[in-house]
């Protein structure tokens, strides 16, 4: 059968993957058969032996421990980075997307083995927290695996589809809670008029079942092991003990799964060498209570993310109809109890949490048209039909249309076409084709099933003709809206403020395009290769530019411009992102009448363990400084923030991950992420310390402004000042430091605007210049200007005086602005 819709969906998981297909309206997960056992789940692991044979799935997963240099798992965590996996025995190397491609190929092979069908196109899911470069790598993996088309779908959307496909409900919110092996996603989904929208989402790429396993290993198992044996420097970051730790983690994971069913269990014996020919055989008892003590903080952390995601949309627990559970760990009853208690919302796990994403992907796949135009010439008598219709919708009598083309026929007058639903016996009746082969039909569809219509094409003599495709499908059900943007995105601005101009807010549908005007901060000399105007594109949701991820930079170099570009030049920046999440930055410089453009490359480098370590040390130092200041400061809030950080596991977590970074690139990536979290916490405390001084300064400056406005302000300026007063009060009430800083700038700007318009101001300035004369660079010119100035004053020529003062300013030695530019060294300002 040739398919007109994609129909297959793959959950390409960090730990496990699965493939499903939509048959009618029910989804079927296609099992793999390995070593005589069947499973709906394929572990996402790949091994290559010394002969170059590739193994995928459970066997490869087993090799992770026995031959760790020849097998890898959890490579989804490295997607989109330039990390290279070396397979020692075979001398081969693979990128993360190559390994993902092996998983996809293996799933494709399973379908062929089971059903004989070669899957040509497939929907592949990605976590909502996936960033652009990670989506891009996933798309490449699908290409490498040989799929001709592979739309990406966010995992929470897939899960919601698996639950809600046939549902036709009024406004209601669902929370998709997906706790996997290595990633966590929380997404609020709204079903309205048969359409699903993602309202908000959040997550953590470094939170999952594997973190529970490590917590048990480090907090429970290792201390016990060290009671029995004295092992030197037995830490996770120590390469020497990598295998021992891998074995412990594997045993702990099995025990953890056991504890989903029983109260206590014994750790499978771990055997490992301790040098000098000795072996250790270690096992111990583990109870559900112990497991919970290690796991609960992790579960609570995920619940906190859910609460934040809800709060961002001002939704209380009552607004959420149910929480859909996704991911292996949610199979455990204790996990669900703990989560339910913390969230206070009803949980639903009626669709298997391990395969719900693949099932939902298949549901979505059935809405995706797949027209694989045959590349070989059609054999005589065979006709191609280019079908135009929506395969899924809420309409029970949808329109379908298309265009028939054939190898020899030019004129289709007197040809007919009929659509037949063999199950319901519904027939469209014979429809006459237009001479160009175009036809339209109104279908009749039944709810609760997938309607398949056979296409019967007849020539003028009534002879049936063979067509590709030979059928079309339609299902009444919910449609997914355009896929939203995962993270906000915009331009990092230069200068002191470390400002982020957010051009796209997260959650917006694609494609997006925004144009903004900026000014350059520093001059660019034509021909000078060292002179660069950098326009950094960042993604994330933090107010401060350098606390977000740098996606890419458009660079305009002195070499590539025709004329000098003075500071303050206008630059029109356009940021675009298309449906496949390809980002383009374009800068138009009116002064040069030139346009510069770059496609942002979505690679991310592996974090450098040395740099991480240094940064971590610097942050610890900053933490101590802020702490010391806080101890003597008046307000309690900074102290409280400091205490919170100290009480949390954050510093410890950064320390562990950064410590393990050298031996384990996953730990490095996690360390990088947690380090940013730590920086933000310290920022918050530092802000709290700065707050009282900033409030005081804003108040004083505003009083000054008010007195000038009262004396000399125009009605417009008075209105502006009154508006500022209200805004300042609100911002102070909401304690928003960055916004208050901006308001202070506006207060000063308005103050100077009024001051500049007063003759007295210029007289005053002129007098200051007179006293500064000895420091001026060109004494002759200075003396001449001062004379002219005095003349202006006697003649009441204040416009002239203003010009004189400005020229005198230029004679004073320019202060060397050494203020090291922070952030991404942006060359732009508003
Ligand atoms: P991913 O989406 O990251 O591929 P999965 O949803 O397949 O992950 O979940 C994998 C995780 O689920 C692993 O950490 C595994 O230990 C855990 N897991 C699987 N089954 C169970 C179970 N019955 N009880 C508890 N944890 C489980
Ligand atoms: Mg998953």
């Amino acid at each position: 059968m040739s398919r007109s819709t994609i129909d297959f969906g793959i959950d390409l998981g960090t730990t496990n993957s699965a493939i499903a297909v939509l048959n009618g309206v029910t989804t079927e997960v296609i099992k793999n058969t390995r070593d005589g056992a069947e499973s709906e789940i394929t572990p996402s692991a790949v091994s290559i032996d010394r002969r170059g044979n590739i193994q995928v799935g459970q066997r490869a997963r087993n090799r992770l421990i026995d031959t760790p240099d020849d097998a890898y798992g959890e490579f989804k965590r490295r997607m989109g980075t330039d990390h290279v996996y070396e397979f020692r025995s075979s001398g081969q190397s693979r990128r993360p997307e190559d390994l993902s491609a092996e998983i996809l190929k293996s799933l494709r092979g399973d379908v062929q083995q089971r059903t004989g069908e070669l899957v040509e196109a497939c929907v592949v899911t990605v976590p909502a927290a996936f960033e652009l470069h990670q989506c891009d790598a996933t798309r490449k993996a699908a290409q490498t695996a040989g799929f001709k088309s592979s739309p990406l779908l966010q995992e929470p959307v897939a899960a919601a589809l698996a639950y809600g496909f046939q549902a036709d409900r009024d406004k209601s919110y669902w929370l998709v809670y997906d706790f996997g092996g290595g990633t966590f996603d929380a997404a609020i989904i709204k079903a309205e008029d048969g359409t699903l929208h993602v309202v908000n989402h959040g997550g953590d790429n470094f939170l999952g079942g594997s973190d529970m396993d490590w917590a048990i290993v480090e907090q429970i198992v290792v201390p016990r092991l060290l009671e029995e044996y004295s092992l030197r420097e037995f830490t996770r970051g120590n390469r020497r003990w990598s295998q021992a730790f891998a074995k412990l983690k594997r045993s702990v994971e099995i025990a953890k799964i056991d504890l989903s069913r029983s109260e206590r269990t014994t750790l499978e014996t771990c055997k490992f060498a301790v040098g000098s020919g000795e072996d250790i055989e270690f096992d111990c008892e583990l109870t559900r209570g112990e497991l919970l003590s290690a796991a609960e903080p992790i579960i609570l952390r995920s619940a906190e993310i859910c609460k934040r995601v809800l709060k961002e949309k001002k939704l209380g627990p009552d607004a959420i109809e149910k929480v859909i559970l996704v991911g292996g760990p949610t199979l455990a009853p204790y996990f669900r109890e703990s989560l339910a208690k913390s969230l206070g919302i009803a949980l639903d796990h009626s669709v298997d949490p391990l395969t719900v994403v693949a099932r939902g992907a298949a549901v979505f796949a059935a809405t995706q048209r797949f027209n694989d135009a045959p590349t070989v010439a059609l054999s005589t008598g065979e006709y191609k039909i280019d079908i135009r219709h929506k395969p899924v919708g809420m309409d029970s009598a949808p329109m379908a249309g298309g265009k028939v083309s054939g190898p020899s026929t030019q004129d289709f007058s007197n040809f007919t076409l009929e659509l037949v639903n063999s199950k319901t016996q519904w027939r469209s009746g014979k429809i006459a084709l237009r001479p160009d082969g175009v036809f339209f039909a109104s279908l009749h569809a039944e709810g609760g099933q997938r309607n398949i219509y056979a296409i019967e094409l007849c020539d003028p003599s009534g002879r049936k003709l063979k067509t590709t495709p030979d059928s079309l499908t339609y299902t009444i059900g919910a449609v997914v809206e355009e896929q939203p943007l995962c993270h906000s995105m915009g331009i990092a601005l230069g200068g002191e403020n470390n400002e982020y101009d957010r051009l796209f807010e997260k959650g917006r549908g694609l494609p997006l395009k925004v144009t903004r005007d900026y000014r350059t901060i520093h001059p660019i000399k034509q021909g000078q290769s060292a002179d660069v105007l950098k326009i950094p594109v960042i993604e994330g949701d933090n107010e401060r530019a350098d606390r977000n991820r740098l996606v890419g930079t458009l660079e305009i170099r002195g070499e590539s411009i025709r004329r000098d570009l003075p500071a303050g030049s206008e630059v029109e920046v356009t940021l675009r992102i298309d449906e496949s999440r390809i980002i383009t930055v374009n800068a138009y410089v009116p002064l040069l009448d030139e346009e510069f453009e770059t496609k942002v490359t979505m690679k991310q480098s592996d974090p450098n363990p040395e740099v991480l370590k240094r940064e971590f040390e610097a942050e610890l130092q900053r933490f101590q400084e802020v702490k010391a200041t806080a101890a003597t400061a008046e307000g309690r809030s900074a102290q409280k923030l400091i205490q919170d950080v100290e009480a949390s596991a954050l510093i410890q977590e950064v320390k562990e991950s950064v410590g393990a970074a050298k031996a384990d690139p996953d730990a490095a990536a996690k360390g990088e992420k947690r380090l940013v979290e730590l920086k933000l916490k310290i920022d918050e405390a530092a802000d709290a310390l700065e707050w009282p001084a900033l409030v005081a300064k804003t108040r004083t400056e505003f009083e000054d402004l008010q007195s000038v406005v009262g004396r000399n302000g125009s009605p417009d300026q008075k209105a502006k000042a009154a508006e500022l007063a209200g805004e300042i009060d609100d911002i102070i009430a909401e304690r928003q430091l960055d916004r208050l800083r901006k308001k202070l700038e506006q207060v000063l700007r308005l103050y100077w605007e009024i001051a500049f318009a007063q003759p007295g101001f210029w007289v005053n300035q002129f007098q200051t210049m007179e006293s500064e004369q000895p420091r001026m660079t060109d004494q002759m010119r200075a003396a001449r200007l001062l004379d002219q100035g005095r003349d202006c004053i006697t003649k009441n020529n204040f416009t002239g005086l203003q010009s004189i003062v400005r020229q005198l300013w230029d004679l004073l030695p320019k202060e060397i602005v050494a203020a090291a530019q922070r952030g991404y060294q942006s060359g732009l300002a508003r």
Side-chain angles (χ1 to χ4, degrees):
M1 159 174 125
S2 70
R3 295 185 181 272
S4 58
T5 46
I6 293 178
D7 297 350
F8 285 91
I10 291 182
D11 172 9
L12 184 61
T14 311
T15 325
N16 298 307
S17 299
I19 185 165
V21 65
L22 191 73
N23 290 324
V25 283
T26 54
T27 51
E28 181 197 350
V29 176
I30 294 156
K31 293 182 177 145
N32 66 42
T33 313
R34 293 285 146 83
D35 304 324
E38 286 191 337
S39 174
E40 289 190 327
I41 294 295
T42 299
S44 308
V46 177
S47 70
I48 305 181
D49 68 14
R50 74 191 155 81
R51 289 194 189 82
N53 293 324
I54 298 178
Q55 292 281 352
V56 170
Q58 191 55 49
R59 264 209 218 174
R61 186 155 198 224
N62 295 339
R63 295 208 173 134
L64 288 175
I65 296 167
D66 304 325
T67 53
D69 293 332
D70 291 336
Y72 296 97
E74 295 196 357
F75 33 81
K76 183 174 172 180
R77 288 191 147 173
R78 321 290 310 132
M79 286 291 268
T81 69
D82 47 18
H83 187 78
V84 176
Y85 291 92
E86 307 284 353
F87 292 81
R88 183 77 62 80
S89 305
S90 59
Q92 298 194 16
S93 58
R94 293 281 194 283
R95 290 167 306 172
E97 59 261 40
D98 302 326
L99 297 180
S100 293
E102 292 300 333
I103 305 293
L104 296 174
K105 274 190 230 166
S106 164
L107 294 169
R108 197 175 181 217
D110 294 332
V111 176
Q112 198 169 18
Q113 195 184 1
R114 288 253 159 196
T115 69
E117 181 174 356
L118 182 70
V119 183
E120 293 197 281
C122 188
V123 167
V124 180
T125 59
V126 288
F130 247 25
E131 297 175 1
L132 290 157
H133 57 294
Q134 296 166 303
C135 293
D136 202 40
T138 307
R139 216 172 284 117
K140 276 195 202 118
Q143 259 166 27
T144 311
F147 290 114
K148 291 182 182 143
S149 163
S150 55
L152 300 187
L153 177 69
Q154 290 178 322
E155 287 162 12
V157 178
L161 278 174
Y163 272 88
F165 183 44
Q166 291 294 334
D168 181 16
R169 50 186 64 248
D170 308 334
K171 258 189 204 177
S172 68
Y173 294 101
W174 290 353
L175 179 72
V176 178
Y177 174 98
D178 181 351
F179 196 93
T183 53
F184 173 68
D185 291 308
I188 306 171
I189 309 260
K190 188 162 129 187
E192 196 178 10
D193 304 331
T195 310
L196 291 180
H197 315 249
V198 177
V199 179
N200 193 26
H201 55 84
D204 189 334
N205 274 357
F206 295 97
L207 187 62
S210 150
D211 298 281
M212 290 169 57
D213 303 341
W214 281 122
I216 302 166
V217 169
E218 302 209 35
Q219 291 164 30
I220 301 169
V221 177
V222 168
R224 275 194 208 156
L225 178 77
L226 293 179
E227 271 171 30
E228 270 180 60
Y229 303 92
S230 77
L231 301 173
R232 280 194 38 224
E233 290 169 45
F234 193 74
T235 57
R236 213 179 123 193
N238 191 338
R239 262 178 218 270
R240 181 167 164 230
W241 298 114
S242 294
Q243 194 175 33
F245 270 87
K247 284 189 173 169
L248 289 172
K249 180 176 185 280
R250 176 88 192 123
S251 300
V252 159
E253 190 190 350
I254 296 167
K256 174 189 76 177
I257 293 174
D258 274 354
L259 288 173
S260 296
R261 291 178 289 261
S262 50
E263 278 297 326
R264 55 178 58 236
T265 187
T266 309
L267 208 63
E268 206 172 78
T269 310
C270 293
K271 193 170 160 185
F272 50 87
V274 293
S276 66
E278 265 179 275
D279 274 350
I280 279 185
E281 283 191 27
F282 177 77
D283 62 28
C284 67
E285 275 243 315
L286 210 60
T287 66
R288 191 178 284 175
E290 287 166 335
L291 163 60
L292 246 186
S293 73
E296 198 141 39
I298 295 169
I299 302 172
L300 293 184
R301 181 171 200 144
S302 71
E304 286 311 313
I305 295 177
C306 295
K307 287 180 190 161
R308 195 187 69 216
V309 168
L310 291 175
K311 198 172 150 211
E312 279 171 7
K313 281 285 144 193
K314 301 195 167 52
L315 292 173
D318 296 343
I320 305 298
E321 189 185 312
K322 62 180 173 186
V323 178
I324 296 173
L325 294 186
V326 184
T330 68
L331 285 166
Y334 65 80
F335 191 105
R336 295 199 293 262
E337 263 164 46
S338 188
L339 181 66
K341 230 190 300 160
S342 170
L343 284 183
I345 314 172
L347 309 181
D348 190 346
H349 56 100
S350 50
V351 182
D352 171 29
L354 276 173
T355 56
V356 59
V357 169
R359 288 178 196 275
V363 169
F364 180 69
T367 69
Q368 298 294 297
R369 176 179 309 291
F370 175 55
N371 264 344
D372 183 26
T375 42
V376 283
L378 294 163
S379 58
T380 15
E382 198 171 323
Y383 290 80
K384 189 187 151 208
I385 306 182
D386 186 7
I387 295 174
R388 291 285 144 83
H389 89 305
K390 268 167 87 177
V392 174
M394 293 309 291
D395 195 354
S396 61
M399 284 299 289
K403 187 175 191 298
V404 181
S405 56
S408 49
T409 316
Q410 304 297 331
D411 181 1
F412 285 95
S413 313
N414 301 324
F415 277 62
T416 61
L417 184 144
E418 188 165 17
L419 297 166
V420 184
N421 187 335
S422 53
K423 207 160 154 202
T424 63
Q425 295 303 317
W426 176 88
R427 308 178 76 92
S428 67
K430 286 189 188 303
I431 302 158
L433 259 56
R434 284 194 345 204
D436 58 359
V438 170
F439 68 92
F440 294 100
S442 164
L443 302 175
H444 174 80
E446 299 282 326
Q449 60 178 287
R450 191 166 188 227
N451 298 274
I452 303 171
Y453 303 90
I455 301 172
E456 293 182 358
L457 178 70
C458 293
D459 71 6
S461 72
R463 190 165 51 100
K464 267 194 195 163
L465 305 169
K466 206 164 170 262
T467 65
T468 308
D470 53 9
S471 66
L472 64 87
T473 66
Y474 179 82
T475 315
I476 302 178
V479 195
V480 184
E481 263 224 325
E482 56 201 344
Q483 293 212 36
L485 194 64
C486 312
H487 301 269
S488 301
M489 186 179 292
I491 305 290
L493 300 181
E496 284 293 297
N497 286 348
N498 195 11
E499 204 181 324
Y500 176 11
D501 193 14
R502 241 184 275 200
L503 302 190
F504 309 149
E505 290 295 331
K506 88 169 179 186
R508 295 275 308 277
L510 304 181
L512 292 167
K513 181 180 159 195
V514 169
T515 302
R516 285 273 164 90
D517 285 341
Y518 303 100
R519 290 178 295 104
T520 57
I521 292 177
H522 41 75
I524 312 282
K525 270 220 152 332
Q526 194 267 327
Q528 211 73 37
S529 62
D531 274 4
V532 203
L533 170 65
K534 288 189 182 182
I535 304 176
V537 179
I538 54 178
E539 71 174 350
D541 295 287
N542 291 311
E543 287 269 333
R544 292 172 195 196
D546 66 357
R547 296 295 188 251
N548 295 288
R549 200 180 82 82
L550 180 65
V551 178
T553 305
L554 170 61
E555 295 190 347
I556 301 175
R557 295 185 173 274
E559 296 159 309
S560 52
I561 58 176
R562 284 196 293 246
R563 269 189 285 149
D564 289 358
L565 202 60
S569 302
E570 194 185 319
V571 182
E572 217 177 274
V573 176
T574 304
L575 188 65
R576 264 177 299 164
I577 174 163
D578 69 9
E579 285 97 338
S580 34
R581 289 166 199 262
I582 292 166
I583 310 163
T584 321
V585 209
N586 176 294
Y588 172 69
V589 187
L591 198 67
L592 305 172
D593 190 24
E594 269 186 275
E595 223 174 277
F596 304 87
E597 188 168 282
T598 187
K599 277 216 170 36
V600 164
T601 40
M602 283 175 267
K603 277 273 176 213
Q604 195 183 25
S605 311
D606 272 341
N608 177 333
E610 285 305 320
V611 175
L612 276 185
K613 199 165 154 255
R614 273 202 304 277
E615 278 193 20
F616 177 48
E617 281 158 9
E619 285 309 310
L620 281 182
Q621 171 87 29
R622 188 161 78 102
F623 184 68
Q624 291 311 331
E625 286 163 12
V626 173
K627 187 176 164 181
T629 321
T632 59
E634 285 189 358
R636 291 267 314 127
S637 61
Q639 273 181 38
K640 168 90 176 58
L641 288 164
I642 297 278
Q643 281 160 7
D644 286 352
V645 174
E646 284 184 325
S648 78
L650 188 57
I651 291 187
Q652 185 58 26
E653 245 189 298
V654 184
K655 192 173 164 201
E656 272 172 24
S657 314
V658 171
K662 257 200 187 138
D664 177 357
D666 292 340
K670 181 174 172 177
E672 187 181 43
K673 181 162 165 98
R674 293 282 182 263
L675 187 58
V676 172
E677 285 172 26
L678 179 63
K679 285 182 188 174
L680 286 170
K681 291 270 186 228
I682 304 176
D683 287 351
E684 214 183 317
D687 287 356
L689 289 173
E690 191 191 329
W691 181 251
L694 183 68
V695 172
K697 183 161 166 60
T698 311
R699 296 250 191 248
T700 338
E701 295 292 350
F702 188 76
E703 272 166 31
D704 288 354
L705 171 66
Q706 242 170 348
S707 62
V708 232
V709 167
R711 266 182 279 127
N712 311 104
S714 68
D716 265 4
Q717 287 164 333
K718 283 186 175 139
K720 178 84 190 118
E723 192 185 319
L724 277 173
E727 286 170 349
I728 289 170
D729 286 344
D730 288 350
I731 292 173
I732 289 177
E734 290 167 30
R735 272 191 88 91
Q736 294 186 321
L737 188 100
D738 287 311
R739 286 186 57 205
L740 189 59
R741 271 203 206 110
K742 278 181 211 156
K743 284 297 151 203
L744 175 59
E745 266 175 37
Q746 289 176 14
V747 167
L748 293 172
R749 222 178 294 146
L750 187 55
Y751 177 90
W752 288 114
E753 185 186 306
I754 300 168
F756 277 12
Q758 306 313 311
F761 170 81
W762 296 103
V763 175
N764 222 317
Q765 278 296 310
F766 182 74
Q767 286 161 352
T768 316
M769 290 300 112
E770 281 182 311
S771 61
E772 289 287 354
Q773 188 190 355
R775 296 177 58 190
M776 290 187 181
T777 43
D778 182 342
Q779 286 297 325
M780 292 257 290
R781 190 166 143 76
R784 200 171 59 239
L785 284 168
L786 287 169
D787 275 346
Q788 287 173 0
R790 281 185 277 269
D791 193 40
C792 286
I793 291 176
T794 45
K795 290 184 178 143
N796 275 341
N797 174 5
F798 293 109
T799 330
L801 182 65
Q802 202 180 107
S803 143
I804 302 286
V805 170
R806 287 184 191 277
Q807 292 178 58
L808 285 166
W809 278 347
D810 285 345
L811 294 183
L812 276 173
K814 288 231 163 44
E815 294 223 317
I816 300 144
V817 186
Q821 285 196 351
R822 294 213 291 148
Y824 296 120
Q825 280 143 40
S826 176
L828 293 185
R830 280 180 207 270

